Amino acid sequence: MPTATMKALRKMRPERGAQLEAVSIPRIGPNEVLVRVRAASICGTDLHIYAWDPWSASRVKPPLTFGHEFCGTVERVGEEVTGVAPGDFVSAEMHVNCGRCHQCRVGQPHVCQNLKIIGIDQDGCFAELVRIPAANIWKVDPAIPEHYAAILDPLGNAVHTVLSGEIAGQTVAVTGCGPIGLMAIAVAKACGCSTVFATEVNPHRRALALQMGADEALNPAETDVVARVRAATGGTGVDVLLEMSGHPAAIHQGFQMLRAGGRASLLGVSSQPVEFDLVADIIFKGATVKGIYGRKMFETWVQMTALLKAGKLKLEPLFSERLALDRFADAFSLLQGGQAEKILFYPNGSPR
Ligand SMILES: [Zn+2]
Ligand SMILES: [Zn+2]
């Protein structure tokens, strides 16, 4: 019998680009689930893998099917899987933890010592079908629309960042308005923060920041954003900094905007070590600093589902193109040009 194949977008060689390939349909183990991908979303990480930057070169081992943000329908389940059945509409936590290390045992699996990421360390979701451990499957509430279900991974990053400290009634600065920064604005507003100051150099993204609920969208290339935020907060500074850019200048501005005793949650990843005024920005400020990685398993997923079900998050401005998988080159060039935020792929045909 010939082996059944499927279409997959693969990084075949350690160089820029990707290729659409016919590959064998993944075989699942007794505790795994095969999901037919309905919609997959492109992450900034996928842009790095496509461009083959130094981070990708050090981490990714071609050949690899990439992609880690998706939703789909369960096609088949392993013989030991319970609670998930063919036909279920699902997404998945793509960070796979080991279940045995110290952090896993003390309830912090999101910082597992042996974390593997589907779509980076093993074949991901830019394909007709994807193989997922049953424990990582997240059944999507039917009230959540399909295109929202495709971006639960980055939305979870935003929810984890915003809810890693108090938020209700607080003033907030969001430095960097890429997709997750934009989502964080909506989440902070939905959770009852008072005012959001967003900083971003890209004018398209500043416009989106306002659509997502920011009270002010400031351009740090033109405005003294620290002076502006301090003035708007009576000279005090904001209660909460959500650092989403990873850019050294934005990080410095963010900490200068943060009030003494405030909370900084840092999600943006810088490509180089960042110099830091530890004394002025953290110690003498009595600041609380949180590093944010991934999503809490599965507290973040529960919070995110509750917010979405309650209709608290309006994410429409984030979505632009919806493309078949073979249009991948167009998708990556649109994203690289900063002309789109979230592009969805439909590996099994066009959007409903
Ligand atoms: Zn991602
Ligand atoms: Zn572990």
Side-chain angles (χ1 to χ4, degrees), residues 41 74 87 100 123-124 145 159 172 193 232 242 316 329:
S41 171
V74 173
R100 299 178 306 274
D123 286 342
V159 169
V172 178
C193 81
L242 308 176
E316 289 314 321

Side-chain angles (χ1 to χ4, degrees), residues 195-212:
T195 312
V196 173
F197 304 93
T199 69
E200 169 60 52
V201 288
N202 176 327
H204 169 66
R205 289 179 165 177
R206 281 201 304 281
L208 286 173
L210 294 172
Q211 288 181 45
M212 299 298 281

Side-chain angles (χ1 to χ4, degrees), residues 69-223:
E69 304 178 355
F70 82 106
C71 63
T73 308
V74 173
E75 180 100 347
R76 205 180 307 149
V77 302
E79 57 264 32
E80 287 172 25
V81 173
T82 54
V84 185
D88 285 348
F89 184 55
V90 301
S91 182
E93 169 58 64
M94 300 294 252
H95 288 193
V96 180
N97 68 298
C98 75
R100 299 178 306 274
C101 75
H102 182 91
Q103 288 91 307
C104 282
R105 290 274 158 99
V106 299
Q108 299 172 334
H110 63 293
V111 284
C112 166
Q113 292 175 27
N114 306 302
L115 204 65
K116 294 261 187 297
I117 304 181
I118 304 172
I120 293 175
D121 303 312
Q122 65 188 65
D123 286 342
C125 66
F126 291 162
E128 289 178 69
L129 294 147
V130 60
R131 176 174 66 100
I132 307 280
N136 287 63
I137 291 284
W138 184 258
K139 283 207 236 179
V140 179
D141 188 282
I144 297 172
E146 179 183 281
H147 58 304
Y148 284 23
I151 61 162
L152 294 178
D153 174 292
L155 180 61
N157 291 140
V159 169
H160 184 189
T161 311
V162 173
L163 295 184
S164 64
E166 270 184 61
I167 195 72
Q170 310 257 294
T171 52
V172 178
V174 176
T175 46
C177 297
I180 302 177
L182 291 168
M183 291 178 201
I185 294 169
V187 174
K189 279 287 180 169
C191 295
C193 81
S194 61
T195 312
V196 173
F197 304 93
T199 69
E200 169 60 52
V201 288
N202 176 327
H204 169 66
R205 289 179 165 177
R206 281 201 304 281
L208 286 173
L210 294 172
Q211 288 181 45
M212 299 298 281
D215 297 273
E216 293 190 32
L218 305 165
N219 180 2
E222 279 174 359
T223 307

Side-chain angles (χ1 to χ4, degrees), residues 41-46 68-69 120 153-154 157 180 295 342:
S41 171
I42 305 174
C43 177
T45 305
D46 301 318
H68 58 269
E69 304 178 355
I120 293 175
D153 174 292
N157 291 140
I180 302 177
R295 297 142 298 278
K342 278 308 194 190

Side-chain angles (χ1 to χ4, degrees), residues 218-236:
L218 305 165
N219 180 2
E222 279 174 359
T223 307
D224 181 343
V225 293
V226 174
R228 171 64 205 140
V229 168
R230 284 215 185 123
T233 52
T236 303

